[in-house]
Every structure is written in C-alpha cells, then in structure tokens.
Amino acid sequence: MLYSMSSRSTPDAVGSDPAWPVEDGAGVPLRPTENALGSLEVDLNHRLRFGSGELVITTERLLTRFPDATVWTAWELAPGLALGHHDHAGVGALELRDQTGRLAVWRYTLGRNLAALRFLAQFEQAMAARRGAAATDAGAEPLDAESMGEAGETAEDKPPSTWTLFRLWRFARPYQWQLLAGFLLMLAATAATLVPPYLTMPLMDKVLIPFQNGQQIDTGYVALLLSGLLGAALLAWALGWAKTYILALVSERIGADLRTSTYEHLLKLSLEYFGGRRTGDLMARIGSETDRINLFLSLHLLDFATDVLMIGMTAAILFSIDPTLALVTLVPLPIIGWLIHVVRDRLRTGFEKIDRVWSEVTNVLADTIPGIRVVKAFAQEDREAGRFREANRHNLLVNDKLNKLWSLFSPTVTLLTEIGLLVVWAAGIWLVSRGEITVGVLTAFIAYIGRFYSRLDSMSRIVSVTQKAASATKRIFEILDHESSVPEPKEPVPLDHVEGRIEIKNAALRYGNRSVIRGLNLSIAPGEMIGLVGHSGSGKSTMVNLICRFYDVTEGAIEVDGIDLRQVRVADYRRHVGLVLQEPFLFFGTIAENIAYGKPDATREEIVAAARAAHAHEFILRLPQGYDSLVGERGQGLSGGERQRISIARALLIDPRILILDEATASVDTETEREIQKALDNLVRGRTTIAIAHRLSTLRKADRLVVLDKGLKVEEGTHEALIAQRGAYWRLYEAQARQEKAERERMLVVDDAE
C-alpha cells in the first residue's frame, strides 16, 4: 500500500505529527508485516451527529477512518501512546494521547460501549506486546470478548485486593469494645475445645492400657477425668454461644451502617454520577454486595479467626507433647499454602467478573419492570425475556468457568490433609514401636491432628468467601470514594430567607471537551418570570440544572440574593426551589404522601389547600379513598394531567421563592393544558420563575424571554419586542405558527372526510 503525504486533516484529529494519512482503498491499508487484531465502528462525528467511522488496531499501528472522512490515518504504537475511555450523558468517547497531549477523539452512542471496551483491551494488549511484554499475566488467559464479560471489564480494572477488607475498620471502630470482648470469648472457647484431647492421654496410658494389663481402674480418677471432659464441653458451648451472639450482633450493625452510609453518600452525589450508572448495578451494590460483606463478617470471618486460633494453639500443644511428631504433622502445610497463593489471584479476578455480570442481570430487571407498560404496548415480552435469558446465560458461563478451578482446589486440599493424617499414623506407629512415645500420646496426637487438619481444610475454603467479600467491598467503596461534582462548602453561608434575585455572571459549563453553556449573563429580579426559548440542545435544560445546582458552573458564578450558590449548603438552597418537570415522578404511596413529599410534616388542611390551588382537589375526591388513595409506582393509574397537577400541588406546598417549570405542559392535550395552566397561574404568583415551554404561546405571560442557541444567549426581551426584531425568536415563532396552522388544516380535512 502506498502512503499519501496529504495534509488533509480530520475534524477530530489533534496534532498531526505522529499521524500518517494513507490512501483510501477497498479495505484497511495494512502493511505486509502487520496483522489486524481488532476493530471498532463509531457512529458519531465531532458535531455529535450520526456518521460512520472505524478504528483498527494492528500489531504495529492504530488506524482510523474518521466519520465523514475518506482517508485513513495511522499512529505507530510508540511508547507513551495511550487510549482513554469515558462516557457522559449517553455519549461515549475514546481519546488518544501521547506525551504532547491529545491526538484524536472518537465518539459513539452507548450502544457501542461494550465493543469500545473490548477494543480498548485489544489496544492495551497490542501496546504490551509492542513493549516486548506479555499481554497477560503468566498462565492467565488473554482478554477476549467472552472473558471480559458483558459488563465491560478492561485491562484497567484492577482485581480487588484482600487488603480492601481492612477499610471496613472504619465501620467497625464504633464497636471495638464489643469486638474485643468477642475476641476474648473466642480465645477462651477455642482453648476449652482443646482440653478433651489432652485428657485422652491419661485415660489411655493410666486407665485403659493398665486395665488391659490386669490393674484395677481407679474410679475416682476416671470420674475426675470424665468430669473434666464434661466441664470442658459445657464451657466451650457457653463461651461459643456468647462469642457467636456478640459478634453476630456487631456484624449486623456494621452491615447496616455500611448500607446506610453507602445510600446516604449516593444521595449526596450529583446528577452527573447517575448519568453514567445503571439502576440495577447500584441496587445490587447496596443490596446484595452489603449482604455478602455482612455474611462474611458475621460467619466466615468468625470461623476464620477461630481456625487461626485453633491451628496456632494446637500446634503449640503438639510441639509441647512431641516435637518430632509435630514436625511430621506440618508436612502438607507448604503445599497447601502454595495452592492458596496460586488460586487466590484467579479467584480474585473471577469474583470481580461475576459481580459485574450479575449486575447486568439486575440491570435487565431494573429496566424492564418500571417500563413494563412500554414493553407490553410494543409486544416486546419475548425480546425482554431473551435479554434476561442471555444475561443469565452469560452469568452462568462465568460462574461455571470459576467453578472449574474451585471444584479442583477444594478436594485437592482435602486429599493433602488425608495424606498428612496417614503420614502421622505411620510416623506415630513407628515411634510407639521404638518406645519413644506412648499409645496415649499417639491417640492425643490423632485427636489433635483431626482438629488441626479440619481447621486447615476450613481455612482453605475461606479463600473463596474472602475474595467474594473483597470484591463486594471494592464495589461499595467505589461509591463511597466518589466525590460529588457539587461539593458542600467548608464554611457555608446561612440562607434562612430568599427574596429570589438571581444573577448569572459569565457562566459556562463544559461536559468533558464539549462546551454546553458559554459566557451567559442574566439578571432576574425577585418575582419576575423568565421564559427560556431555543431549539432542542440549545442549553435550556442545562441552564435550569445550573440554577437548581444539579451541576456547578465550570466558569463564572450564579448568585441568589448576592450569594454565590457554591457558598451555600445544597439542602438549604433547594429548600427554597420548586421544580415542576415535563414528566412528573410520583412515588408509591398515597396521594397525600406524594403532595407532602417536600414537607412531610404538613397538615391535612395544608395538603388540601395546595391541591385546591393546583386544581387537583376535585379529581382527588373522585378517587375511591380520596387523598388516601394509593398511587402505583411512578403514578400508574393516574392520567398525565392528574400526575402533573399533583406535582404542582407538591411544589405549592413548600411555598418556594424560586420556581422552575421545565416543559410542564408539553405532553398533555389542549383541554388538560388549560387546567394545568390555571394551576400554574396560582403557582407562579409572587415567585421568581424560570419557565421552559415547547409551545411559545404559553410564555406570553413571561416578563422577559431569553433565546438560547448552542449555549449562547442570542436575544432577550418581551414577546412583542422580539417579534419586532425579526431575529431568532421570530423565526422560531413563525415556524411553530406554520406547523400549528398545517396541523389545523389537516384536522379539518379529516373532519370533512368523516
């Protein structure tokens, strides 16, 4: 293939030195010496419009044909070249960088995210091979589509370290004295269980064997020994019950604190965090992952600690009885330790993979159950069942792969312990025959060895549950370690009363490298109503999100009554903000509970007054239980207009000084819109209001209109003044008027035909 030194550039390429544009051909322009390792199709161009592009990774280069381009561009796989991945707001991106900075970026819809993650893993393998290193750890299988899993693990995902479990001490510290008491009880209980084998020596050597040789049994001595056995058993039972009860109570409280802290921290994170997360995955982390940690703390960790104490104390007793036989007992230990070391890393990676694949199963449920009406409306039951079946099948495959390893490991440890017991028998018989130990000593040794090896076998099994708990802990702390992009101020300014004056000063917001709002300046007086107008994607909803402080500006400032929002506690500010969305969200509960959501201590009189003002009282009384009627999940059972009026009543009840209306009447019919508009008239009275409306005619009551285009404020003024300017607003208004006129004419034709 010939190389073209054309200077033609592509929109997403940055920095042309390391890239070589090559001739466009029927296929990928490969050198004779290189082989293609993987490819990826991207479907968005740099303007975030649909376009077809392609990336190819080979043994020597990264090649690409950018969307809407006709030539191929290539970069050598040189040291320092790195491919990064991120996603936000439904758009994924791959970014190529070297020591000089960013070289290129490719964007795609999140439907291609899994393929992008696989391509990223292939790139990492190619770079590792290029550096002369193995692409994977010794003995490990290469990263391919199957081993990565549906959740998209990449080479950048580090398996959880067992040391991660020590981070749980943060939640255990409040219960340190209970833990200490449990540990002391455990120590005493373990010591008590070691008494009976020790008493078998005098029973054998001083009672049973002499009796076989013709001596009389000393009944008092036998009674003393049997009383010791019974007392040790009863003491071990009592101590074991006490330590299990105390540590179980503590572990349950640690698990509950962990769940609560994780959920509370999750609620404090900004909307940006939730934009890139699946509901099912977050539910799995707070639910099943914390349950797994709790099970580990309450059961397996207790067993592990008991095993360690038992092995340590047993080993000390064995060496005190006979050092030679004790050394023989420890023969299997190095082999078992080596097996645990080999298996641990693979289990670590495997359980992390299982967690991610399981979250995909819960994601299907979290997607389908809330959207069951849409599923049934489009007759997609079979499709959703297929999605679940496929996710479940992949979960089964990943589990089967790990179980092959685990099923071999556990019996191998058992076999080694049985061989160790056989070696002890052989060595013990030989020592008895030489007169170096007595039969009683050998009997005690066998009793201790049985306990020693059973605990050793139990400890080997703890490897599995420990790695599961470490994986769960890692996923929990991924939430707890995440910092909100809307942080609380260190020294918050009190905000007890709000007049409603809003000042937006040279505000800007960027999503990664994309600028959404730029240089926005706007002053809103208390009680003034502002209408936001513009094409889809112009920045209207983003501006509302900034005023609500769902996001923080990256440049400039937003002030309320002269105070920068970043200096005020988020809850203190939002207590004065009412929000009415296009799609109102209602919680499962009664009508009264939904209206009083923002003010849980509201009286029934206050709730009814808010419903009257929202023109919702009449239809609520027509429901079977009135205000105590249950609302289904997400408001099922109510019409769109009824849900919207309940959300307006919810906003009215908190009596906000600042009101946000985001397309509040966009998805209802004309008659319902009139009812909602009456409620909105009551709602906006005397409040600073920022309104977005699909129908421009609904904004005629606004004091001013602000026209946005591509994140910039292009016009500002009253409806009449903007129409007179014949600018951007006039064009929007005329286009909508023509559309409404055409719709009316079409309806007239339909009526005439009928």
Side-chain angles (χ1 to χ4, degrees):
M1 177 63 68
L2 296 175
Y3 285 80
S4 169
M5 297 304 294
S6 166
S7 61
R8 175 174 181 169
S9 62
T10 54
D12 284 340
V14 180
S16 58
D17 291 342
W20 296 85
V22 296
E23 288 184 352
D24 186 29
V28 182
L30 296 180
R31 294 170 179 167
T33 58
E34 65 183 338
N35 295 315
L37 302 176
S39 64
L40 171 69
E41 291 185 5
V42 293
D43 55 356
L44 295 176
N45 61 21
H46 71 289
R47 296 185 181 90
L48 295 182
R49 295 176 180 172
F50 287 104
S52 179
E54 189 173 2
L55 290 89
V56 176
I57 184 67
T58 74
T59 51
E60 300 176 7
R61 296 177 299 162
L62 174 67
L63 299 96
T64 185
R65 181 181 56 76
F66 287 102
D68 306 325
T70 58
V71 297
W72 285 85
T73 305
W75 288 268
E76 298 288 339
L77 299 184
L81 197 65
L83 190 63
H85 164 267
H86 62 86
D87 59 76
H88 181 76
V91 176
L94 290 176
E95 185 177 87
L96 187 68
R97 304 182 70 91
D98 66 1
Q99 298 90 335
T100 62
R102 193 179 77 176
L103 302 174
V105 62
W106 298 267
R107 297 179 177 88
Y108 52 86
T109 58
L110 287 186
R112 300 178 184 266
N113 198 44
L114 178 59
L117 291 170
R118 291 171 176 164
F119 183 82
L120 184 63
Q122 292 162 343
F123 173 86
E124 294 293 340
Q125 287 184 333
M127 288 295 295
R130 198 70 172 154
R131 290 191 298 266
T136 56
D137 295 333
E141 296 181 10
L143 275 172
D144 55 13
E146 186 66 23
S147 65
M148 285 169 60
E150 292 294 327
E153 298 93 333
T154 71
E156 296 177 352
D157 290 318
K158 296 180 180 179
S161 170
T162 308
W163 294 102
T164 305
L165 292 171
F166 285 95
R167 300 189 66 184
L168 294 174
W169 175 247
R170 157 184 165 188
F171 296 94
R173 187 181 293 113
Y175 309 101
Q176 54 187 340
W177 297 113
Q178 294 94 319
L179 289 171
L180 178 60
F183 175 77
L184 294 176
L185 288 170
M186 184 190 305
L187 189 64
T190 304
T193 59
L194 293 175
V195 171
Y198 200 84
L199 295 179
T200 60
M201 287 192 295
L203 273 175
M204 293 293 295
D205 292 338
K206 296 182 180 181
V207 177
L208 296 178
I209 293 177
F211 174 73
Q212 284 186 333
N213 294 331
Q215 295 183 16
Q216 290 294 321
I217 293 178
D218 186 347
T219 55
Y221 185 62
V222 171
L224 180 64
L225 292 176
L226 293 179
S227 298
L229 290 172
L230 178 62
L234 291 174
L235 182 61
W237 169 81
L239 293 172
W241 172 82
K243 59 102 175 175
T244 303
Y245 179 71
I246 289 176
L247 293 177
L249 288 180
V250 171
S251 64
E252 287 292 342
R253 279 152 180 77
I254 293 174
D257 292 347
L258 182 61
R259 273 190 296 272
T260 301
S261 296
T262 305
Y263 183 63
E264 288 178 351
H265 185 77
L266 193 66
L267 291 177
K268 293 176 182 177
L269 295 177
S270 64
L271 290 182
E272 183 180 6
Y273 177 82
F274 294 92
R277 302 302 190 282
R278 300 285 296 274
T279 302
D281 179 56
L282 295 177
M283 290 172 61
R285 294 193 193 199
I286 296 177
S288 59
E289 303 292 15
T290 52
D291 283 344
R292 180 179 293 176
I293 294 171
N294 189 43
L295 182 65
F296 171 76
L297 293 175
S298 61
L299 182 62
H300 301 297
L301 184 60
L302 181 63
D303 290 342
F304 178 74
T306 304
D307 293 343
V308 171
L309 287 174
M310 179 70 78
I311 288 174
M313 297 170 73
T314 303
I317 293 174
L318 291 177
F319 274 99
S320 69
I321 296 174
D322 189 276
T324 304
L325 200 55
L327 286 173
V328 174
T329 304
L330 303 178
V331 168
L333 276 181
I335 304 175
I336 294 175
W338 175 78
L339 277 176
I340 291 174
H341 174 73
V342 170
V343 169
R344 183 184 60 188
D345 290 338
R346 296 196 180 188
L347 288 178
R348 221 190 280 169
T349 307
F351 287 126
E352 172 76 359
K353 193 181 300 180
I354 285 173
D355 287 341
R356 293 179 180 273
V357 173
W358 177 248
S359 71
E360 284 300 305
V361 177
T362 57
N363 281 335
V364 175
L365 294 175
D367 288 344
T368 306
I369 294 175
I372 191 65
R373 294 181 68 182
V374 177
V375 173
K376 290 184 174 296
F378 289 90
Q380 294 300 306
E381 292 93 341
D382 292 341
R383 176 189 174 190
E384 294 301 332
R387 282 181 63 207
F388 186 83
R389 194 182 303 112
E390 177 61 23
N392 209 19
R393 183 194 67 82
H394 193 263
N395 176 62
L396 187 63
L397 290 176
V398 174
N399 275 277
D400 286 347
K401 190 174 182 180
L402 188 65
N403 287 334
K404 288 179 184 178
L405 175 67
W406 181 244
S407 61
L408 178 64
F409 171 74
S410 188
T412 302
V413 173
T414 303
L415 175 63
L416 289 173
T417 57
E418 293 293 336
I419 293 173
L421 187 61
L422 181 63
V423 170
V424 172
W425 269 110
I429 293 172
W430 182 72
L431 291 173
V432 170
S433 68
R434 291 171 57 89
E436 296 184 14
I437 63 172
T438 65
V439 174
V441 170
L442 178 59
T443 303
F445 246 94
I446 295 301
Y448 278 121
I449 287 303
R451 300 185 181 214
F452 183 88
Y453 280 150
S454 65
R455 294 296 182 175
L456 199 60
D457 185 50
S458 176
M459 280 187 66
S460 69
R461 299 175 193 275
I462 203 69
V463 175
S464 169
V465 293
T466 301
Q467 297 309 319
K468 287 181 180 179
S471 172
T473 303
K474 177 192 173 187
R475 285 165 57 77
I476 288 293
F477 276 95
E478 282 176 356
I479 296 177
L480 292 173
D481 292 340
H482 194 90
E483 297 291 336
S484 174
S485 60
V486 182
E488 295 283 4
K490 292 183 179 179
E491 298 181 1
V493 176
L495 192 69
D496 299 325
H497 176 72
V498 171
E499 293 183 3
R501 181 179 300 280
I502 300 175
E503 296 283 344
I504 302 176
K505 299 180 178 180
N506 199 31
L509 178 67
R510 300 179 67 87
Y511 289 150
N513 296 317
R514 185 163 61 100
S515 180
V516 184
I517 295 290
R518 294 174 287 170
L520 183 62
N521 290 279
L522 184 63
S523 179
I524 306 175
E528 187 178 15
M529 181 177 179
I530 296 294
L532 298 181
V533 179
H535 291 289
S536 178
S538 61
K540 304 185 299 296
S541 294
T542 301
M543 181 177 166
V544 164
N545 287 334
L546 290 174
I547 294 174
C548 291
R549 212 192 165 203
F550 293 146
Y551 301 98
D552 272 343
V553 293
T554 51
E555 298 176 20
I558 297 180
E559 297 179 355
V560 172
D561 295 346
I563 303 173
D564 192 320
L565 289 183
R566 290 168 292 192
Q567 297 177 340
V568 181
R569 288 184 68 250
V570 175
D572 290 346
Y573 169 63
R574 289 185 186 154
R575 202 170 288 123
H576 302 284
V577 178
L579 183 62
V580 180
L581 301 171
Q582 176 181 351
E583 291 293 335
F585 187 96
L586 300 184
F587 296 92
F588 185 88
T590 66
I591 296 284
E593 289 170 344
N594 272 279
I595 294 176
Y597 184 77
K599 189 180 179 182
D601 58 347
T603 64
R604 181 54 64 99
E605 290 74 18
E606 290 175 319
I607 292 172
V608 172
R612 286 183 183 276
H615 289 256
H617 181 68
E618 289 75 14
F619 85 78
I620 292 175
L621 291 182
R622 289 195 295 268
L623 296 174
Q625 281 82 40
Y627 283 86
D628 294 320
S629 299
L630 279 176
V631 175
E633 188 174 3
R634 298 174 185 266
Q636 292 184 18
L638 298 177
S639 69
E642 290 170 343
R643 291 197 299 269
Q644 190 64 282
R645 277 176 278 175
I646 290 176
S647 73
I648 293 172
R650 182 165 59 192
L652 273 166
L653 186 62
I654 65 172
D655 192 22
R657 298 307 305 156
I658 299 173
L659 180 64
I660 308 293
L661 305 176
D662 191 355
E663 301 277 10
T665 61
S667 56
V668 295
D669 56 73
T670 305
E671 183 177 347
T672 304
E673 181 184 3
R674 281 197 292 266
E675 288 294 318
I676 294 176
Q677 196 61 53
K678 294 176 184 177
L680 290 176
D681 290 342
N682 293 331
L683 183 59
V684 302
R685 191 175 297 120
R687 295 179 171 89
T688 303
T689 305
I690 298 97
I692 302 173
H694 176 69
R695 300 184 183 97
L696 298 180
S697 57
T698 61
L699 294 177
R700 286 188 175 182
K701 294 182 180 179
D703 298 301
R704 277 183 296 154
L705 299 175
V706 176
V707 184
L708 298 177
D709 185 31
K710 297 179 181 178
L712 293 170
K713 183 178 73 173
V714 295
E715 289 181 354
E716 179 182 353
T718 63
H719 169 77
E720 292 76 12
L722 293 178
I723 290 293
Q725 289 181 19
R726 300 179 70 85
Y729 178 78
W730 176 78
R731 289 191 294 272
L732 282 171
Y733 190 82
E734 286 294 308
Q736 194 168 104
R738 287 194 297 270
Q739 182 180 356
E740 292 176 354
K741 180 181 178 182
E743 182 67 19
R744 286 194 300 270
E745 291 176 350
R746 187 184 67 82
M747 293 301 296
L748 287 173
V749 171
V750 171
D751 292 341
D752 291 342
E754 292 177 351

